[in-house]
Amino acid sequence: MKIKYPISLKQILLFSFLIILVLGVSTALVSTLVRADDKIKAEENNLALNGRTAQTVRTSFDNIQGNSYVLFEAFAAVSAPSQKEALGQSFFLSNPDVLFLSSEETGLLVNPARKELEAKISDYLASGDAAFALSNTQDVKTRYFNTSKAFNSPSLVFIYKYGPYDNFKSGAVGLDTASFAELMSTGSNNTTILVDESAAVLVNPDFGSTKESRKDLLGLINELIRNPEVDNTQQVVDGVFTAVHQIKDDLFVITSISEKSVYAVINRTTYRIILFSLAVFFAAIILIRLFSNGITNPIKDLVVASSKIERGEFELDIEPKTQDEIGLLTSSFVQMGKGLSEREKLMVSFSKFTNKTIAQKAASGELSLGGENREATIFFSDIRSFTAMSEKMTPHEVVEFLNAYMTRMVECVNKTGGVVDKYIGDAIMAVWGAPESGGSPAKDALNAVTAALMMRDSLAKFNRERAGRGLPPVKIGCGINSGPVVAGQIGSEERMEYTVIGDAVNLASRTEALNKPFATDILITENTYSLIRTSIVAEEMPGVHVKGKTDAIKMFAVINLVGREGAKTLDEVRSIIGTFAPDLSKVNTDDEEKKYNIQA
């Protein structure tokens, strides 16, 4: 038997619980306090870094936009191509991050260091959203476009309006954002990006990132747009501390750091403490195990002994090893095993003289003198012409024959949940529904008929074996009836017998006797047939007047179970059992008993 909660385990759990409780509470307190402090510091650092980066980016954009505007003005003031070329070269030397400029005054000016992009820049400005923003002078907002994919390098283009209010002009500036990305990449666990009002990513230090938009940040961006008096905010979004700063023209710098990074140090510390606790835990297991062996080993021997008793092994080979309570318990266990062994031997012997279920109930005191009303199915079987057969055998041969025959027949009863009530010479009386039912009267009746059909098959095999030894075949008749009976221990206080009595029993016995004149082997009454009519194949026989009954009793010859292989008609059954259809009008009934008469 498997022990669910051994004593050694309980001891280990008790001491380990105390150790883990102390260490766990200490770890939890330290972790909670440090986490709270780390959170405050992380929020402050993230917001400060966001503010510094936003200020630097804003200054850079202001300078580039201002310098480009000055260049546009200067181009408008001069006309000599050489002067314009000199102005352009001077501008790109002062602003190396600018990829190109485009305006009405300058046309398209490409940074001499990035001439390889000129064709891509021309195509980009001539189509799509950029072309629309350049031509739409009514829209005074600055428009930003991430051109990293278009130019195959980290870059962006912004298009802004300049000039008098009533005569706006569009200027386009292309920027190499590598320096911005370097500025935003702080080398720490913080990540900074630049986005527009729709959360489209303009600058990302991770140039290989596939994220072109951060829709998850729209809520924070819209909050700043709705509150122009506030230029920054910070929240925890999906486990990430996220600070947002609005710098200009719906341009936003976003700096974030994950909670995992914030709590990395305290998590490592907590992990080390847990490892230490586990080490203490396993050390405690070893020490407690050594201490508990002196107690648990004798108990384990008793557990093994109890398992043997459960399996029916009552002779125990254990001896007391200590002089304490466990030693006394071991001695008592050995004596108990001897007592159970004697009881089992008595039970085995008793079971051979009665049904095992009844023997167990009697041994446990569940059966007492008296009876109870039950709905049962009663079965009788009898060997045809047994007297003539026995006269040709010695007493030893008669006993040997009956034992072989009864063994086969009783096996059929036991397999279907029946109880052999008694043996009456060569006859067998069995009951289904008492002392225990198979579930319902119909189920008990079907089990009884099933057992009779199994007897038919078993008898056929038995006869084949006898034929091989040159012996005549054995024929039997089975009668089955269902109805109310009184079931219980009948007898005296000194000797009792479990049986069933009642009119239903008498009718079952008389039904069995009708097999001979009907040339059948299994007959059931109308009582049984009405319970299982949909489960069996049967043929109605002529009504029979039974002694003590006013009306004729209907009888049915059982052919087979529905859907079961084998005989399908009564003629096939008679062919199997070796009988012929009788002329019922000429049947000579038992004049001495006068138990029945056939109604032609």
Side-chain angles (χ1 to χ4, degrees), residues 520-546:
T520 57
D521 64 338
I522 304 173
L523 280 177
I524 62 174
T525 65
E526 183 179 8
N527 299 331
T528 302
Y529 180 75
S530 63
L531 292 173
I532 58 174
R533 66 174 66 218
T534 60
S535 301
I536 65 171
V537 179
E539 184 172 316
E540 185 175 352
M541 306 303 290
V544 178
H545 277 290
V546 179

Side-chain angles (χ1 to χ4, degrees), residues 158-201:
F158 66 91
I159 298 172
Y160 68 97
K161 304 297 187 270
Y162 66 92
Y165 182 78
D166 57 349
N167 188 25
F168 279 130
K169 299 178 181 180
S170 296
V173 180
L175 295 179
D176 184 337
T177 58
S179 59
F180 284 103
E182 185 177 353
L183 171 67
M184 295 176 181
S185 179
T186 61
S188 65
N189 292 320
N190 298 79
T191 300
T192 303
I193 59 175
L194 183 68
V195 302
D196 63 12
E197 63 179 339
S198 64
V201 177

Side-chain angles (χ1 to χ4, degrees), residues 80 181 224 252 266 337 487 531 581:
L224 291 181
F252 301 86
I266 187 60
L531 292 173

Side-chain angles (χ1 to χ4, degrees), residues 509-522:
S509 175
R510 295 176 182 182
T511 300
E512 179 276 319
L514 292 171
N515 280 286
K516 185 175 181 180
F518 285 151
T520 57
D521 64 338
I522 304 173

Side-chain angles (χ1 to χ4, degrees), residues 350-362 367 372 374-381 406 409-424 427-438 443-445 447-449 451-452 455 479 481 485 487-489 497-500 505:
F350 184 42
S351 296
K352 292 181 180 180
F353 294 96
T354 186
N355 180 268
K356 185 176 182 180
T357 302
I358 296 174
Q360 290 174 342
K361 287 182 175 291
L367 294 179
E372 58 178 342
R374 306 286 296 225
E375 286 290 330
T377 295
I378 304 93
F379 166 94
F380 278 90
S381 72
M406 295 291 186
M409 300 300 107
V410 171
E411 182 181 10
C412 300
V413 175
N414 293 336
K415 284 183 177 181
T416 54
V419 173
V420 175
D421 185 282
K422 61 175 64 70
Y423 302 108
I424 310 169
I428 300 174
M429 175 183 172
V431 182
W432 282 259
E436 294 180 346
S437 173
K443 181 66 175 176
D444 293 329
N447 286 338
V449 172
M455 289 180 184
N481 181 42
V485 297
Q489 295 285 72
E497 180 184 45
Y498 186 89
T499 188
V500 293
V505 179

Side-chain angles (χ1 to χ4, degrees), residues 463 473-475 519 521 571-581:
N463 282 333
V474 177
K475 298 180 181 180
D521 64 338
D571 288 338
E572 291 182 32
V573 172
R574 285 171 174 155
S575 175
I576 293 172
I577 64 177
T579 61
F580 300 94

